[in-house]
Amino acid sequence: MTGITYEDFLDLSYDPAETDLVCWFAIEPAADMAMESAASRVASESSNGTWAALTVGDDFTDLAATAFSIDDNEIGVAYPAGLFEPGNMPQILSCIAGNIMGMKAVETIRLLDCEWPESIVSTFEGPTFGTAVREEIFDAGDRPITATVPKPKVGLSTKRHAEVGYEAWTGGIDLLKDDENLTDQAFNPFEDRLTESFAARDRAEDETGETKSYLINVTADTNTMLERVDAIAEQGGEYVMIDVITTGWGAVQTVSDRCQELGLAIHAHRAMHAAFDRLPNHGVSMRVLAQISRLCGVDQLHTGTADLGKLANEDTVGINEWLYSDLYGLNDVLPMASGGLHPGLVPELIDRIGTNIGIQAGGGIHGHPDGTHAGAKALRQAVDASVGGIGLETYAEDHPELGVAIDKWGTETPR
């Protein structure tokens, strides 16, 4: 018989195994708690420990996490792969970001980063397309794909919503997108919006000769989402959109399975992410949320604007690099830049984060003095100029829509 105490969860000489999930936390211990004691409690509570010393017998399977590194206020914790159910993201998060977030042993705790071993990654399907949507769906070449959300974000009738989509598509935008809080309200029912928007999409494709698509929001309970996914496939859609955090990761995995069967891509809206990642010393970082999104199967994810837009950002560049990275053969994810963007910001955005992205503008299109169609033209013109290495002022000489946008917004960042 052996006894288990907090001290058993701290071993600064431990070298994590290849199969371990390694998590990095920033912690501030409670006022009366040493860093070593706090670190051991994080490892204990997130694996197989408890506050009381335990005596166990030979039939006990030891799945203890180990706090193996302490560097100032950052600690590393290694979790044996056997602690986790294969392919079950909610269960993994219940370990690495569960009760530990409310422990008295720490004043604050933030999950900064994870190193995912092949033993865990291989149990997830990952994205169906990832960045390949740019070629496989749109044949976009070297340019970013573009998207817009009709504004006001809710309240438009179905008829007007489809009209705005047509105006944007024919102006050069690739994707119409629902906003995070538009699903199936009386003023714009899901089924009507789906049918009328795709009819407008078809007209826009005939007129422009380009592929256009629609990110319609399926967010709801899981069964309803599956019904909506099937309806989109029947309409010939290429995408679904999910508010992945408010929906929950288990539901995202279920929808991803259905989308893979139907050959649909998933656009992930990150609404509610700031509840986890905005405070710099507590919660779960956007980097980790992005990692979870990739494992659960999303193809596109909002990752910020590298501080050019209206929303607070973390390390957009670093997050995007991780989404592009090799991960034991799992497909990558296309980062979407959105939140306060307009044509004047496009050159700097591309300079900071490259062209293997999507660029989404709402007010920066619909707020154009000459309306949505002209605003869509202006954004596409800004993209084409930037990819072609032509200054916006020069390009605007022959593209009046871009010129009007620059006159209105310049290169200022909104708040």
Side-chain angles (χ1 to χ4, degrees), residues 268-283:
H269 195 293
R270 60 178 184 167
M272 199 180 175
H273 77 96
F276 296 90
D277 67 30
R278 181 159 185 170
L279 297 179
N281 59 351
H282 192 76

Side-chain angles (χ1 to χ4, degrees), residues 258-313:
R258 181 66 61 87
C259 286
Q260 289 199 352
E261 293 173 9
L262 298 172
L264 301 178
I266 295 177
H267 177 93
H269 195 293
R270 60 178 184 167
M272 199 180 175
H273 77 96
F276 296 90
D277 67 30
R278 181 159 185 170
L279 297 179
N281 59 351
H282 192 76
V284 179
S285 72
M286 184 60 213
R287 183 180 180 87
V288 173
L289 295 176
Q291 294 169 0
I292 295 164
S293 298
R294 183 178 180 183
L295 290 168
C296 289
V298 313
D299 298 279
Q300 296 178 184
L301 174 68
H302 296 241
T303 61
T305 60
D307 293 325
L308 284 173
K310 67 180 181 180
L311 302 176
N313 289 288

Side-chain angles (χ1 to χ4, degrees), residues 318-362:
I319 292 168
N320 290 1
E321 288 176 350
W322 191 93
L323 291 176
Y324 298 139
S325 68
D326 177 65
L327 191 64
Y328 308 108
L330 213 67
N331 281 341
D332 60 6
V333 174
L334 183 72
M336 295 294 294
S338 65
L341 294 177
H342 58 73
L345 297 175
V346 169
E348 180 64 21
L349 179 71
I350 289 177
D351 183 63
R352 293 186 186 187
I353 61 177
T355 59
N356 193 16
I357 58 172
I359 298 176
Q360 180 182 298

